PDB file of all heavy atoms in Angstrom:
ATOM      1  N   LYS F 232     166.790 -31.303   4.659  1.00 38.00           N
ATOM      2  CA  LYS F 232     166.982 -30.102   3.862  1.00 38.00           C
ATOM      3  C   LYS F 232     168.005 -30.378   2.778  1.00 38.00           C
ATOM      4  O   LYS F 232     168.847 -31.259   2.915  1.00 38.00           O
ATOM      5  CB  LYS F 232     167.460 -28.937   4.736  1.00 38.00           C
ATOM      6  CG  LYS F 232     166.396 -28.400   5.671  1.00 38.00           C
ATOM      7  CD  LYS F 232     166.985 -27.334   6.522  1.00 38.00           C
ATOM      8  CE  LYS F 232     166.451 -25.981   6.452  1.00 38.00           C
ATOM      9  NZ  LYS F 232     165.349 -25.485   5.910  1.00 38.00           N
ATOM     10  N   GLN F 233     167.937 -29.532   1.768  1.00 34.00           N
ATOM     11  CA  GLN F 233     168.984 -29.567   0.752  1.00 34.00           C
ATOM     12  C   GLN F 233     170.255 -28.994   1.364  1.00 34.00           C
ATOM     13  O   GLN F 233     170.182 -28.058   2.153  1.00 34.00           O
ATOM     14  CB  GLN F 233     168.550 -28.677  -0.418  1.00 34.00           C
ATOM     15  CG  GLN F 233     168.830 -29.276  -1.745  1.00 34.00           C
ATOM     16  CD  GLN F 233     168.330 -28.379  -2.843  1.00 34.00           C
ATOM     17  OE1 GLN F 233     167.497 -27.524  -2.646  1.00 34.00           O
ATOM     18  NE2 GLN F 233     168.851 -28.567  -4.006  1.00 34.00           N
ATOM     19  N   LEU F 234     171.397 -29.553   1.032  1.00 32.00           N
ATOM     20  CA  LEU F 234     172.628 -28.966   1.550  1.00 32.00           C
ATOM     21  C   LEU F 234     172.995 -27.716   0.762  1.00 32.00           C
ATOM     22  O   LEU F 234     172.813 -27.650  -0.430  1.00 32.00           O
ATOM     23  CB  LEU F 234     173.770 -29.993   1.486  1.00 32.00           C
ATOM     24  CG  LEU F 234     173.642 -31.140   2.478  1.00 32.00           C
ATOM     25  CD1 LEU F 234     174.856 -32.048   2.369  1.00 32.00           C
ATOM     26  CD2 LEU F 234     173.477 -30.635   3.888  1.00 32.00           C
ATOM     27  N   HIS F 235     173.528 -26.806   1.481  1.00 32.00           N
ATOM     28  CA  HIS F 235     173.763 -25.490   0.942  1.00 32.00           C
ATOM     29  C   HIS F 235     175.216 -25.061   1.207  1.00 32.00           C
ATOM     30  O   HIS F 235     175.893 -25.797   1.872  1.00 32.00           O
ATOM     31  CB  HIS F 235     172.827 -24.504   1.596  1.00 32.00           C
ATOM     32  CG  HIS F 235     171.387 -24.829   1.471  1.00 32.00           C
ATOM     33  ND1 HIS F 235     170.457 -24.454   2.383  1.00 32.00           N
ATOM     34  CD2 HIS F 235     170.726 -25.499   0.535  1.00 32.00           C
ATOM     35  CE1 HIS F 235     169.280 -24.890   2.004  1.00 32.00           C
ATOM     36  NE2 HIS F 235     169.432 -25.529   0.894  1.00 32.00           N
ATOM     37  N   ALA F 236     176.087 -23.522   0.840  1.00 37.00           N
ATOM     38  CA  ALA F 236     177.573 -23.420   0.965  1.00 37.00           C
ATOM     39  C   ALA F 236     178.315 -22.126   1.227  1.00 37.00           C
ATOM     40  O   ALA F 236     177.746 -21.320   1.843  1.00 37.00           O
ATOM     41  CB  ALA F 236     178.192 -24.069  -0.201  1.00 37.00           C
ATOM     42  N   THR F 237     179.545 -21.854   0.738  1.00 64.00           N
ATOM     43  CA  THR F 237     180.564 -21.013   1.377  1.00 64.00           C
ATOM     44  C   THR F 237     180.263 -19.531   1.420  1.00 64.00           C
ATOM     45  O   THR F 237     180.278 -18.875   0.393  1.00 64.00           O
ATOM     46  CB  THR F 237     181.916 -21.189   0.665  1.00 64.00           C
ATOM     47  OG1 THR F 237     182.213 -22.554   0.597  1.00 64.00           O
ATOM     48  CG2 THR F 237     183.021 -20.467   1.381  1.00 64.00           C
ATOM     49  N   LEU F 238     180.019 -19.038   2.612  1.00 87.00           N
ATOM     50  CA  LEU F 238     179.716 -17.626   2.796  1.00 87.00           C
ATOM     51  C   LEU F 238     180.220 -17.195   4.159  1.00 87.00           C
ATOM     52  O   LEU F 238     179.989 -17.874   5.158  1.00 87.00           O
ATOM     53  CB  LEU F 238     178.205 -17.380   2.685  1.00 87.00           C
ATOM     54  CG  LEU F 238     177.764 -15.919   2.829  1.00 87.00           C
ATOM     55  CD1 LEU F 238     176.583 -15.625   1.904  1.00 87.00           C
ATOM     56  CD2 LEU F 238     177.334 -15.604   4.265  1.00 87.00           C
ATOM     57  N   LEU F 239     180.934 -16.072   4.201  1.00 94.00           N
ATOM     58  CA  LEU F 239     181.367 -15.469   5.454  1.00 94.00           C
ATOM     59  C   LEU F 239     180.924 -14.019   5.467  1.00 94.00           C
ATOM     60  O   LEU F 239     180.926 -13.354   4.429  1.00 94.00           O
ATOM     61  CB  LEU F 239     182.893 -15.511   5.593  1.00 94.00           C
ATOM     62  CG  LEU F 239     183.591 -16.873   5.612  1.00 94.00           C
ATOM     63  CD1 LEU F 239     185.091 -16.669   5.802  1.00 94.00           C
ATOM     64  CD2 LEU F 239     183.032 -17.779   6.689  1.00 94.00           C
ATOM     65  N   GLY F 240     180.554 -13.524   6.643  1.00 97.00           N
ATOM     66  CA  GLY F 240     180.191 -12.118   6.753  1.00 97.00           C
ATOM     67  C   GLY F 240     180.407 -11.622   8.168  1.00 97.00           C
ATOM     68  O   GLY F 240     180.278 -12.375   9.139  1.00 97.00           O
ATOM     69  N   CYS F 241     180.757 -10.357   8.279  1.00 98.00           N
ATOM     70  CA  CYS F 241     180.966  -9.741   9.587  1.00 98.00           C
ATOM     71  C   CYS F 241     180.370  -8.332   9.562  1.00 98.00           C
ATOM     72  O   CYS F 241     180.652  -7.549   8.644  1.00 98.00           O
ATOM     73  CB  CYS F 241     182.447  -9.693   9.925  1.00 98.00           C
ATOM     74  SG  CYS F 241     182.771  -9.361  11.672  1.00 98.00           S
ATOM     75  N   ILE F 242     179.531  -8.046  10.551  1.00 98.00           N
ATOM     76  CA  ILE F 242     178.845  -6.753  10.651  1.00 98.00           C
ATOM     77  C   ILE F 242     179.214  -6.113  11.979  1.00 98.00           C
ATOM     78  O   ILE F 242     179.202  -6.774  13.024  1.00 98.00           O
ATOM     79  CB  ILE F 242     177.321  -6.928  10.552  1.00 98.00           C
ATOM     80  CG1 ILE F 242     176.929  -7.544   9.206  1.00 98.00           C
ATOM     81  CG2 ILE F 242     176.600  -5.588  10.754  1.00 98.00           C
ATOM     82  CD1 ILE F 242     175.469  -7.941   9.106  1.00 98.00           C
ATOM     83  N   MET F 243     179.566  -4.837  11.956  1.00 98.00           N
ATOM     84  CA  MET F 243     179.913  -4.096  13.163  1.00 98.00           C
ATOM     85  C   MET F 243     178.989  -2.892  13.326  1.00 98.00           C
ATOM     86  O   MET F 243     178.625  -2.247  12.346  1.00 98.00           O
ATOM     87  CB  MET F 243     181.364  -3.607  13.081  1.00 98.00           C
ATOM     88  CG  MET F 243     182.405  -4.664  13.395  1.00 98.00           C
ATOM     89  SD  MET F 243     182.479  -6.028  12.200  1.00 98.00           S
ATOM     90  CE  MET F 243     183.173  -5.191  10.776  1.00 98.00           C
ATOM     91  N   THR F 244     178.626  -2.589  14.574  1.00 98.00           N
ATOM     92  CA  THR F 244     177.829  -1.400  14.869  1.00 98.00           C
ATOM     93  C   THR F 244     178.319  -0.757  16.157  1.00 98.00           C
ATOM     94  O   THR F 244     178.839  -1.449  17.051  1.00 98.00           O
ATOM     95  CB  THR F 244     176.333  -1.742  14.993  1.00 98.00           C
ATOM     96  OG1 THR F 244     175.591  -0.552  15.286  1.00 98.00           O
ATOM     97  CG2 THR F 244     176.072  -2.769  16.080  1.00 98.00           C
TER      98      THR F 244
END
Side-chain angles (χ1 to χ4, degrees):
K232 289 177 119 13
Q233 222 178 340
L234 289 183
H235 303 152
T237 308
L238 181 144
L239 299 182
C241 195
I242 299 171
M243 281 66 70
T244 180

